[in-house]
């Protein structure tokens, strides 16, 4: 079994990748097949991420893990491609499609596209893959199936974020909800879910009426806000008119930018934060909203290799356990507070309400 892993590369690198050579970010070759070796016929899974997507310690890194876990279990080759720009990602896709539309290419191949940045290209070109029965496409996350060949799935986050918002008052803190940008549908619905849950929370905490709730966006660009400078994040946190006597809770729904807010929360004792997409372990993080996209990816790869193949479209959400909230207070003081205001019965009631809300929202 051969594994090809590319985290970033120059546009010209893609053509080299097509002959199974892999390079580092600086262009150094880390693997080149021996000409004497017989080329592997193992199925090949290639992932194209959003610009600079890998390394976010959340959503994209979970996709990476899901692909690699599936490869280990099923004997697959993988190629992980994290371009530095949208244009570079489009160049990767153009060359991948050029290779995969050749009907003489009989290696079983799957392209996984992990960003809506490439939506227009995929919808205009997915039918080209129909010329090769060995080529498949999985596009995540979108509500709208592809018009030609290819499968899609969607992971609604509204319900899990509603649940997180509903339990947030147990933190006894003011809340700053930070979104990457309002034009990314998954981000916008997650922000809306948390805000709705917070407004309708049944959690009763002393002084709850005094708490303040703020929502800000890092960018107006549909692909923006997923990376933020330290100075920008710090200025944002400082410019909020926080009441001086309360703790502050940061909820960063902004991909790789979240790590910056996490770091500052660790440095400044008056801040706590909510883990998003993964369970964070920190004395400043008492609960996390999780998105098990690694499990969804593994499931889809298993389906791809099955005789039935992948469904045209499927949904993985709160009701079937692919998203959820994990409460994990780190200190004895915070655990006692959560236990006092958030009984098991109340948690279960909030969860069931969140499942119902997500079903209504997705209609």
């Amino acid at each position: 079994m051969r594994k090809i892993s590319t985290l970033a590369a120059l546009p010209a690198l893609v053509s080299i990748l097509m002959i199974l050579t892999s390079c580092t970010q600086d262009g150094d070759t880390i693997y080149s097949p021996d000409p004497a070796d017989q080329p592997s016929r193992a199925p090949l899974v290639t992932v194209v991420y959003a610009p600079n997507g890998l390394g976010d310690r959340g959503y994209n890194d979970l996709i990476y893990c899901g692909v690699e876990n599936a490869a280990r279990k099923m004997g697959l080759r993988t190629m992980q491609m994290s371009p530095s720009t949208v244009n570079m990602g489009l160049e990767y896709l153009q060359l991948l499609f050029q290779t995969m539309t050749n009907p003489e290419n009989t290696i079983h191949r799957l392209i996984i596209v992990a960003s809506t940045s490439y939506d227009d290209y995929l919808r205009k070109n997915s039918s080209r893959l129909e010329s090769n029965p060995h080529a498949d496409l999985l596009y995540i996350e979108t509500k709208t199936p592809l018009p030609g060949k290819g499968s899609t799935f969607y992971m609604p986050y509204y319900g899990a974020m509603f649940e997180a918002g509903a339990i947030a008052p147990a933190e006894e803190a003011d809340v700053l909800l930070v979104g990457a940008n309002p034009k990314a549908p998954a981000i916008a619905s997650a922000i809306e879910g948390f805000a709705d849950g917070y407004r309708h929370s049944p959690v009763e905490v002393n002084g709850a009426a005094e708490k303040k709730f703020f929502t800000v966006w890092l960018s107006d660009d549909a692909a923006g806000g997923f990376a933020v400078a330290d100075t920008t994040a710090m200025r944002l946190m400082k410019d909020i008119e926080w009441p001086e006597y309360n703790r502050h809770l940061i909820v960063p729904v902004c991909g790789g930018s979240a790590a910056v807010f996490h770091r500052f929360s660790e440095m400044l004792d008056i801040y706590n934060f909510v883990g998003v997409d993964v369970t964070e372990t920190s004395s400043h993080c008492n609960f996390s909203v999780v998105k098990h996209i690694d499990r969804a990816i593994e499931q889809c790869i298993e389906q791809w290799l099955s005789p039935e193949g992948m469904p045209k479209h499927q949904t993985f959400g709160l009701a079937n356990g692919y998203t959820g909230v994990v409460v994990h207070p780190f200190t004895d003081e915070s655990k006692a507070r959560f236990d006092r205001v958030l009984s098991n019965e109340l948690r279960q009631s909030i969860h069931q309400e969140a499942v119902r809300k997500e079903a209504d929202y997705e209609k």
Side-chain angles (χ1 to χ4, degrees):
M1 180 180 75
R2 295 289 188 190
K3 173 180 153 184
I4 310 160
S5 180
T6 301
L7 300 185
L10 296 172
L13 174 61
V14 182
S15 59
I16 303 174
L17 287 170
M18 296 304 103
I19 59 170
L20 306 186
T21 300
S22 181
C23 297
T24 67
Q25 185 171 3
D26 296 325
D28 300 322
T29 300
I30 58 175
Y31 165 70
S32 183
D34 187 328
D37 287 347
Q38 290 296 317
S40 174
R41 303 288 301 173
L44 174 62
V45 178
T46 302
V47 189
V48 180
Y49 292 91
N52 300 307
L54 282 180
D56 64 355
R57 296 173 54 189
Y59 181 86
N60 289 291
D61 287 3
L62 285 174
I63 294 172
Y64 180 95
C65 290
V67 170
E68 296 303 324
N69 288 340
R72 282 191 291 272
K73 292 177 184 177
M74 304 170 205
L76 310 176
R77 294 175 298 157
T78 67
M79 183 158 61
Q80 308 263 7
M81 308 175 76
S82 185
S84 58
T85 65
V86 171
N87 286 338
M88 186 181 291
L90 289 171
E91 290 180 15
Y92 289 173
L93 285 172
Q94 288 164 2
L95 285 165
L96 288 168
F97 269 67
Q98 182 178 342
T99 299
M100 292 177 66
T101 51
N102 181 358
E104 296 180 0
N105 193 328
T106 58
I107 293 176
H108 202 26
R109 299 171 186 263
L110 173 66
I111 302 175
I112 299 176
V113 179
S115 172
T116 56
S117 300
Y118 315 116
D119 184 272
D120 186 59
Y121 179 85
L122 294 177
R123 297 191 182 281
K124 289 179 178 178
N125 290 274
S126 59
S127 60
R128 292 170 56 194
L129 298 180
E130 294 169 357
S131 62
N132 186 346
H134 306 285
D136 285 289
L137 171 65
L138 174 62
Y139 174 32
I140 60 174
E141 294 181 57
T142 176
K143 289 184 178 181
T144 308
L146 290 168
K149 188 174 183 179
S151 299
T152 53
F153 76 69
Y154 175 60
M155 297 189 77
Y157 221 13
Y158 179 91
M161 293 298 289
F162 181 97
E163 184 173 341
I167 70 173
E171 283 275 12
E172 296 185 325
D174 301 298
V175 175
L176 173 61
L177 184 57
V178 183
N181 71 78
K183 295 179 182 177
I187 298 292
S189 64
I191 293 288
E192 186 176 355
F194 190 96
D196 288 348
Y198 189 86
R199 284 193 293 266
H200 299 93
S201 175
V203 176
E204 296 182 4
V205 180
N206 291 336
E210 300 175 356
K211 306 305 173 189
K212 289 193 174 183
F213 186 94
F214 308 89
T215 301
V216 298
W217 300 98
L218 297 178
S219 175
D220 292 324
D221 189 323
F226 296 102
V228 66
D230 285 10
T231 52
T232 301
M234 178 59 77
R235 184 170 62 250
L236 176 63
M237 295 168 71
K238 291 292 187 181
D239 286 350
I240 296 295
E241 295 182 2
W242 301 105
E244 294 183 3
Y245 47 84
N246 290 337
R247 291 192 64 80
H248 312 321
L249 178 66
I250 312 293
V251 188
V253 191
C254 46
S257 296
V260 179
F261 291 98
H262 295 176
R263 186 169 68 253
F264 285 136
S265 296
E266 302 279 5
M267 293 168 53
L268 305 170
D269 190 51
I270 61 171
Y271 294 93
N272 283 353
F273 65 90
V274 173
V276 177
D277 293 338
V278 294
T279 302
E280 295 283 356
T281 302
S282 167
S283 60
H284 290 268
C285 180
N286 292 314
F287 69 97
S288 300
V289 196
V290 294
K291 178 176 275 195
H292 300 294
I293 196 164
D294 50 340
R295 297 182 193 171
I297 289 290
E298 287 190 59
Q299 170 77 359
C300 289
I301 293 176
E302 289 178 5
Q303 293 170 340
W304 171 58
L305 295 172
S306 72
E308 297 78 16
M310 291 182 291
K312 184 67 174 175
H313 183 76
Q314 51 194 323
T315 299
F316 303 104
L318 184 63
N320 51 12
Y322 280 90
T323 65
V325 176
V326 179
V327 178
H328 48 89
F330 196 88
T331 66
D332 291 340
E333 179 185 357
S334 58
K335 185 179 187 306
R337 182 174 68 252
F338 271 84
D339 290 345
R340 183 174 68 253
V341 301
L342 205 62
S343 66
N344 289 334
E345 292 78 10
L346 182 56
R347 275 294 319 275
Q348 187 60 27
S349 174
I350 290 172
H351 176 74
Q352 294 302 327
E353 178 67 6
V355 170
R356 289 191 293 271
K357 290 288 188 181
E358 180 165 276
D360 291 342
Y361 183 84
E362 293 302 325
K363 289 179 182 176

